Each structure stands twice: as structure tokens, then as C-alpha cells.
Amino acid sequence: PWSQAGSGREVNGRRADGSEVPMSLGVSAFELFGEQKYALFWQDISERKRYERILQDAKEKAEEVAQLKSTFLANMSHEIRTPLTTVIGYAGVLAEEASDKHREFAQFIRNSGERLMETLNSVLSMAQLEASGAEIQLDVLDVTDEAREIASLFKPLADEKELALRFQAPPEPDGPLMAHLDRGALSSILQNLIGNAVKFTEDGSVTVRVSYDADEVHLHVADTGIGIDPDFVPHLFD
């Protein structure tokens, strides 16, 4: 009867030409004719060690790229935030001082700038999340107002494509529909969904709808565009 008595151990062997070679040494114990015997097994693991080095190098390069990306995002955020803050500020001044004819345009610039700032913050949060350092910042938000404002950002693009951009919300018998949400995350999600709906719809409409039940508020984005291949749906969140 054979029984395993030892496990593989890495050692350095030497070839006939004098060069060293990494090897795995395994020892097994067995009984033969009533006597304890041992068998040694040698295996050249040069190829395995080569692949391990390749994987380690790739891992180190990936970590270096991730660090460079985080540094770039941090620097980019500063360079974008400063002029963007100025745009938002002056748009607010124009919205207060402009005539009725132009006040709406100035307010739209301000709202768009604020949303862009939130998107920028979302990008930075994603970078931090990848570095395991981000935290969701929950606020109590009026979901209907938030969704309506985000949807309104895409009206010029929808008008340009001659699409109907509809917003539907239920009556609020007990007041606004409030929910605990991260404003930046909500903005990023809705901008992606509505933006894609408008982008991939050539005729018809895009509808943003708010609904609710006893415990949750629901947001729906529907369009008359090409849709998504059913085979791809299971992989949407991969």
C-alpha cells in the first residue's frame, strides 16, 4: 500500500552543463514487503516560475497604472474645478441680472455646470472606490425634483433629434417623494441612462418616469430606440 508522506518543496538543481534550474522535490513513503521505503520525485519547474514572473510583472505594472490614473484624476479635478466654479458663479450672476428673455439660458448654463461638477465628483469617487477609499454620502432627496432636473439637461439634444422627452411623476398625496440617496451617484446613473436613451433613439420618444410603493421610490427610463440585445442583458452589470 502506498501513502503520501511529504509534499513538494522547491529546490535548486543543476544541469549537466552546470546551469541552475528550479525544481520541485516531492517525497512519498510506502511500504514494500514489510519494509518502509521512500521515493523521491523531481520536476523541472522552470516554465512555471517563468509564468509566475510574468504575472508578477503584470501585476506591478497594473498597480503602477492605477496609481498614475488616480494621480491624474486628482490633478485633473483641480484644473477643471477652478474654471468650472467660475462658470457656475458668473452664470448665477447673469441669471439674476439678465432680462427675462435670457434669464432661462443663464440658469440653464448654471444648472448644467453644477451637474458637470457633480459628474466630476462622481468620477473622483469612482477612482477612490477602486482604491477602496470611497464612501457613499447619503442625503434625504426629493427624487422627483432631482430626476426632473437631470432629465431637463437632455432636452436640447432631444429637440435637436426631434424626439419627445417626457417626464412622468405620480401625484404626491403625502408630500414629495423623499429617499436616502447619494446625489452624485444618482446624477451619474440617470445621466448615463437618459443620455444613452437619447443617443440611441432616432425616432419616437424617451420617457423618464418616477413611481413608488410602500417602501421604495422607483426610476424608469424607457425609449423607442434599438434596445439591447437580449443575449447581452445578463451581462449588463458585469
Side-chain angles (χ1 to χ4, degrees):
W2 292 70
S3 63
Q4 187 70 27
S7 57
R9 177 180 177 184
E10 292 186 11
V11 297
N12 287 326
R14 193 175 297 277
R15 296 188 179 94
D17 61 4
S19 61
E20 287 192 351
V21 55
M23 305 191 74
S24 174
L25 171 63
V27 181
S28 289
F30 62 96
E31 187 177 312
L32 182 64
F33 303 120
E35 295 184 3
Q36 187 77 12
K37 303 292 184 179
Y38 296 92
L40 273 66
F41 301 91
W42 299 81
Q43 180 182 9
D44 185 340
I45 57 173
S46 301
E47 196 67 12
R48 191 187 80 188
K49 300 297 287 185
R50 186 176 72 85
Y51 281 120
E52 287 178 355
R53 286 194 299 270
I54 292 173
L55 290 174
Q56 182 62 31
D57 290 343
K59 177 176 178 291
E60 292 175 356
K61 288 179 180 178
E63 291 174 347
E64 182 181 355
V65 169
Q67 181 61 43
L68 288 172
K69 183 185 71 173
S70 297
T71 302
F72 168 75
L73 287 173
N75 292 335
M76 181 191 71
S77 70
H78 175 73
E79 296 301 324
I80 295 179
R81 273 192 176 118
T82 301
L84 186 55
T85 300
T86 303
V87 171
I88 294 171
Y90 278 107
V93 173
L94 288 174
E96 294 176 358
E97 298 182 356
S99 62
D100 292 340
K101 181 180 179 181
H102 300 101
R103 184 175 294 120
E104 181 181 354
F105 297 141
Q107 188 61 45
F108 187 82
I109 293 172
R110 180 180 181 179
N111 292 342
S112 298
E114 290 174 346
R115 288 297 177 183
L116 180 58
M117 182 71 81
E118 290 182 2
T119 300
L120 176 62
N121 291 333
S122 296
V123 171
L124 293 175
S125 294
M126 181 61 70
Q128 292 173 345
L129 186 62
E130 290 176 348
S132 302
E135 293 183 1
I136 296 297
Q137 301 294 326
L138 295 180
D139 294 308
V140 179
L141 304 178
D142 183 329
V143 181
T144 303
D145 281 352
E146 293 287 329
R148 180 185 288 110
E149 184 177 345
I150 296 168
S152 70
L153 299 178
F154 294 91
K155 191 175 186 308
L157 181 59
D159 290 343
E160 183 179 335
K161 298 184 69 174
E162 297 184 349
L163 298 174
L165 179 58
R166 304 189 180 103
F167 183 82
Q168 300 174 351
E172 301 177 355
D174 299 319
L177 297 177
M178 311 302 290
H180 286 90
L181 293 167
D182 182 297
R183 178 178 272 107
L186 174 65
S187 176
S188 179
I189 291 168
L190 280 180
Q191 286 191 52
N192 274 283
L193 292 176
I194 301 172
N196 281 336
V198 173
K199 179 179 179 181
F200 294 105
T201 301
E202 297 303 325
D203 298 292
S205 63
V206 174
T207 302
V208 181
R209 182 165 58 90
V210 182
S211 66
Y212 68 96
D213 55 31
D215 300 312
E216 297 177 329
V217 179
H218 303 273
L219 292 167
H220 313 259
V221 178
D223 62 69
T224 57
I226 60 176
I228 300 172
D229 188 327
D231 293 336
F232 185 73
V233 171
H235 308 290
L236 276 178
F237 298 103
D238 288 353

